[in-house]
Amino acid sequence: MTRSNHHSSMPAVVVDGLRKEFFRNDGRAGLRRRRKRVAALDGVSFEMHRGETLAILGQNGSGKSTLVRLLSTLLLDDGGSAHVFGHDVAAETRAVRRLINRVSVEASFFKKMSAVENLSYAARFYGMPIRETRERIPEILGRVGFPRKRMGEPLEDMSRGMQQKVALARALLTAPILLLLDEPTTGLDPRSKLEVQTFIREIRQIHDATILLCTHDLVEAEELADRVGILDRGRLIELAPAAELRAKYDAVTLEDAFFAATGKAFEDEPEEEDD
Amino acid sequence: MPQGAAAVLRHELIGLSGVFERNVYLVRRYLWWDVAFFVWTIANTLTIVFIGKGIEATGGDIDVERITTQLLVGAVVWAYLGVIFEILTETVAWERWEGTIEYTFMAPLSRPIHLFGMGLFAIVYGVIRAVLLFGVVALFFDLNLGQADYLAALVVLLVASISFLGIGMMTAVLPLISPEKGTQLGFMAQGILLVISGVYYPVSILPEWMQWASTISPATYALDGLRDAILDGDGLGSMGDELWPLVLIGAVSIPIGLWVFRIGEQYAKRHGKLKRSG
């Protein structure tokens, strides 16, 4: 994995005026389906420095996942730009892909395969040879608290919390210097949630990773992130340390600050984003 | 990671082995499903190959052994092509179903290597199944295959596979563009390819426009070559009429297949379809 010195002197992420629109069905006009353009991201700009953890808060449909998928090279933008350690995510996909990994809300795996099998082939995609994976996979699974005796069992037999630990292990195995976490603790039981959050802290401290954390959990955002961004209908309306946000809106909690900034409660959930 | 062509090549070859490795794991985990599918394929093949004996039983004056072998070759090629197309289509379809598609497509592995890895596994798996299918079904019939040149047959199948991979890459992208219909369109392409290629009959009985279409189908030359090798014992030395068109079609279809897949992937990235739920 490339970790050359020049990476330490440049911003980890530079997003400038990023726009993404999707078409959405808008009823019918006679026999024809009407489609309307909906902005998933509307001129989003921010920078992250190396080693920083930035939490992005927003309701469903606010554009969080679109932002993560654009940085993951899985979407093409409709304007603006995004760079990861100086590499354009649209034009230099291969260079960007070497530097990033992600954990999303669903721990996506081939469910009939075991944790070791899933991690093994995934590591191979990042150029890791068999000898190396034989040593590193048991070690990294052990570090996320995955029981050794269950390493050969199909993942479909495991709890969501356990699967999410494997997802973290998969992301870490490739030693990313930018880790994209898209609601990694959503739907987990309190204990699994705590374990995953503890591990995220460890990643920060030990691996020198830059972390973009999209979350619904405001306490999690406040505890884990250096700065908090609020994404509302595709626009980044706030970006500051949590304490500053609370102070700005004269709010006791981050949830109150969110409410004041967006004019809506955090639980209000509009329709899902994307095409 | 060290830079340079050798390092890039090493990285890509490790990635290719990862694609192959994953498919081996899947076959192992779905072994009983595979066994069931193989039994179904045997039954399906038998229903076709028994037609030769059926014609004789209803008073037809035919060379039963020759017709039976011709039908067997056609059915085995149909099954082989089905495996190739299915595995290549799973490049997208299965990944979308399991939800791994985003992780695979954001990995630093070039798309051609990703597709070649799927293709390599498809060929190895397909050849093993084709050989087993041919052997098992042949046991049901009193076929005299003593003169067959199996090496020549295998070479024809492998050379034809290059073209099949190219066409498979074109259809593999369809589930990315249309998650609901894409897989079915792949099966449609497989069916059309075999209908125009004389899968169970000579191409000469087809309407003229279909005969013309058969000249650009690699399956036409694959079926001809396999039948010549197995029925008449023709060796590779006399297979020029089949092998050269296959090489030519393969040389054209692979770059076109990669190009079509790339266009499809770009479309999916533009419209947000490169994700698990479609």
Side-chain angles (χ1 to χ4, degrees):
Chain A
M1 184 64 56
T2 306
R3 284 176 178 272
S4 52
N5 289 334
H6 74 276
H7 285 151
S8 61
S9 60
M10 66 172 62
V13 177
V14 179
V15 173
D16 185 16
L18 198 59
R19 286 195 305 110
K20 182 66 195 171
E21 294 175 341
F22 292 112
F23 285 101
R24 190 172 290 161
N25 290 335
D26 188 26
R28 287 186 174 274
L31 292 174
R32 297 189 62 177
R33 268 193 320 180
R34 274 196 315 222
R35 310 261 279 165
K36 68 173 179 182
R37 281 177 176 272
V38 177
L41 288 180
D42 186 8
V44 169
S45 300
F46 66 91
E47 282 192 17
M48 291 175 70
H49 60 78
R50 182 165 186 165
E52 181 181 21
T53 296
L54 172 64
I56 300 287
L57 301 177
Q59 297 170 296
N60 286 340
S62 61
K64 301 189 301 296
S65 294
T66 300
L67 176 61
V68 168
R69 291 170 65 214
L70 273 160
L71 292 173
S72 305
T73 75
L74 293 168
L75 276 177
L76 292 174
D77 62 66
D78 291 318
S81 65
H83 289 78
V84 172
F85 288 99
H87 300 290
D88 188 318
V89 296
E92 300 171 85
T93 53
R94 203 174 163 79
V96 172
R97 287 169 181 174
R98 284 203 187 102
L99 303 174
I100 63 170
N101 213 322
R102 67 184 280 206
V103 177
S104 54
V105 61
E106 293 288 340
S108 307
F109 293 106
F110 282 87
K111 304 282 191 305
K112 287 253 181 249
M113 284 163 44
S114 69
V116 170
E117 288 168 342
N118 270 290
L119 264 57
S120 178
Y121 89 76
R124 218 76 71 225
F125 287 2
Y126 286 76
M128 197 179 287
I130 292 173
R131 201 176 338 110
E132 199 175 336
T133 48
R134 270 195 199 130
E135 290 170 12
R136 290 200 59 196
I137 289 173
E139 177 210 322
I140 211 155
L141 282 172
R143 274 180 40 216
V144 296
F146 190 90
R148 178 170 278 273
K149 63 180 180 185
R150 301 195 71 185
M151 287 182 190
E153 289 180 25
L155 282 172
E156 65 184 358
D157 296 341
M158 309 211 174
S159 67
R160 271 211 62 219
M162 200 69 88
Q163 290 184 18
Q164 202 64 324
K165 286 180 187 176
V166 181
L168 279 168
R170 173 175 58 190
L172 273 191
L173 190 60
T174 63
I177 55 174
L178 174 63
L179 192 54
L180 305 166
L181 303 176
D182 190 6
E183 300 179 32
T185 57
T186 299
L188 296 186
D189 62 76
R191 184 179 167 184
S192 299
K193 193 172 182 173
L194 197 62
E195 286 175 341
V196 169
Q197 288 170 345
T198 303
F199 195 64
I200 291 170
R201 281 193 195 91
E202 190 187 319
I203 293 168
R204 273 195 70 178
Q205 286 161 3
I206 298 174
H207 293 272
D208 187 27
T210 306
I211 299 174
L212 180 70
L213 169 69
C214 293
T215 182
H216 278 160
D217 188 325
L218 292 103
V219 176
E220 177 177 278
E222 191 155 9
E223 286 184 359
L224 294 178
D226 302 302
R227 286 187 299 160
V228 174
I230 296 176
L231 201 55
D232 184 39
R233 283 168 291 187
R235 297 178 65 203
L236 190 64
I237 56 173
E238 288 292 353
L239 181 59
E244 277 184 30
L245 284 179
R246 278 192 274 105
K248 178 176 177 180
Y249 291 100
D250 197 19
V252 177
T253 65
L254 194 55
E255 186 171 2
D256 293 337
F258 181 89
F259 181 78
T262 62
K264 56 181 88 105
F266 199 73
E267 290 80 14
D268 294 347
E269 299 212 339
E271 60 186 296
E272 191 53 71
E273 65 194 40
D274 292 353
D275 205 351
Chain B
M1 167 152 315
Q3 296 301 308
V8 171
L9 180 65
R10 180 172 179 270
H11 184 284
E12 293 290 284
L13 288 176
I14 291 171
L16 186 141
S17 74
V19 181
F20 196 94
E21 177 185 343
R22 183 189 67 191
N23 285 292
V24 171
Y25 291 144
L26 286 171
V27 168
R28 217 165 57 188
R29 294 283 179 179
Y30 286 90
L31 191 59
W32 286 109
W33 183 90
D34 256 302
V35 170
F37 180 45
F38 187 61
V39 171
W40 176 83
T41 310
I42 291 171
N44 192 43
T45 305
L46 284 170
T47 63
I48 293 158
V49 182
F50 270 121
I51 289 172
K53 286 203 163 189
I55 293 171
E56 185 189 40
T58 52
D61 182 19
I62 56 166
D63 181 344
V64 175
E65 189 175 327
R66 192 168 183 83
I67 291 292
T68 299
T69 310
Q70 278 185 343
L71 290 170
L72 176 56
V73 170
V76 168
V77 170
W78 183 290
Y80 178 73
L81 205 53
V83 166
I84 298 277
F85 274 46
E86 189 183 328
I87 290 176
L88 280 168
T89 303
E90 281 165 8
T91 303
V92 169
W94 197 342
E95 296 247 23
R96 191 191 285 279
W97 177 57
E98 291 276 21
T100 53
I101 189 164
E102 297 190 6
Y103 291 89
T104 299
F105 277 71
M106 65 177 273
L109 179 67
S110 73
R111 199 62 60 228
I113 292 295
H114 178 194
L115 292 169
F116 281 128
M118 294 297 287
L120 182 64
F121 176 80
I123 290 171
V124 172
Y125 178 77
V127 166
I128 292 170
R129 271 182 62 101
V131 169
L132 284 173
L133 181 64
F134 187 91
V136 171
V137 175
L139 290 175
F140 285 77
F141 302 91
D142 188 22
L143 300 177
N144 179 12
L145 299 170
Q147 79 290 1
D149 188 332
Y150 292 111
L151 177 65
L154 183 64
V155 170
V156 168
L157 194 62
L158 291 177
V159 175
S161 299
I162 300 169
S163 308
F164 295 156
L165 288 190
I167 297 165
M169 287 173 189
M170 295 176 213
T171 61
V173 80
L174 294 173
L176 206 52
I177 298 167
S178 174
E180 298 83 11
K181 299 180 280 291
T183 308
Q184 300 309 317
L185 288 171
F187 294 141
M188 192 179 82
Q190 175 202 352
I192 291 171
L193 199 65
L194 286 165
V195 163
I196 63 168
S197 303
V199 62
Y200 300 125
Y201 39 78
V203 168
S204 57
I205 66 156
L206 294 172
E208 200 169 327
W209 68 270
M210 287 175 87
Q211 287 189 42
W212 178 86
S214 75
T215 61
I216 56 168
S217 164
T220 304
Y221 305 100
L223 286 160
D224 276 354
L226 285 165
R227 284 174 176 144
D228 289 348
I230 288 170
L231 281 165
D232 303 324
D234 285 2
L236 289 173
S238 57
M239 290 276 186
D241 288 349
E242 285 81 24
L243 289 176
W244 281 114
L246 285 174
V247 169
L248 191 66
I249 296 169
V252 173
S253 66
I254 290 282
I256 294 177
L258 291 172
W259 178 75
V260 168
F261 198 96
R262 185 173 178 279
I263 297 292
E265 187 176 342
Q266 292 295 103
Y267 173 88
K269 286 169 72 170
R270 173 74 60 202
H271 293 274
K273 290 177 182 288
L274 193 52
K275 61 177 182 175
R276 56 181 300 148
S277 56

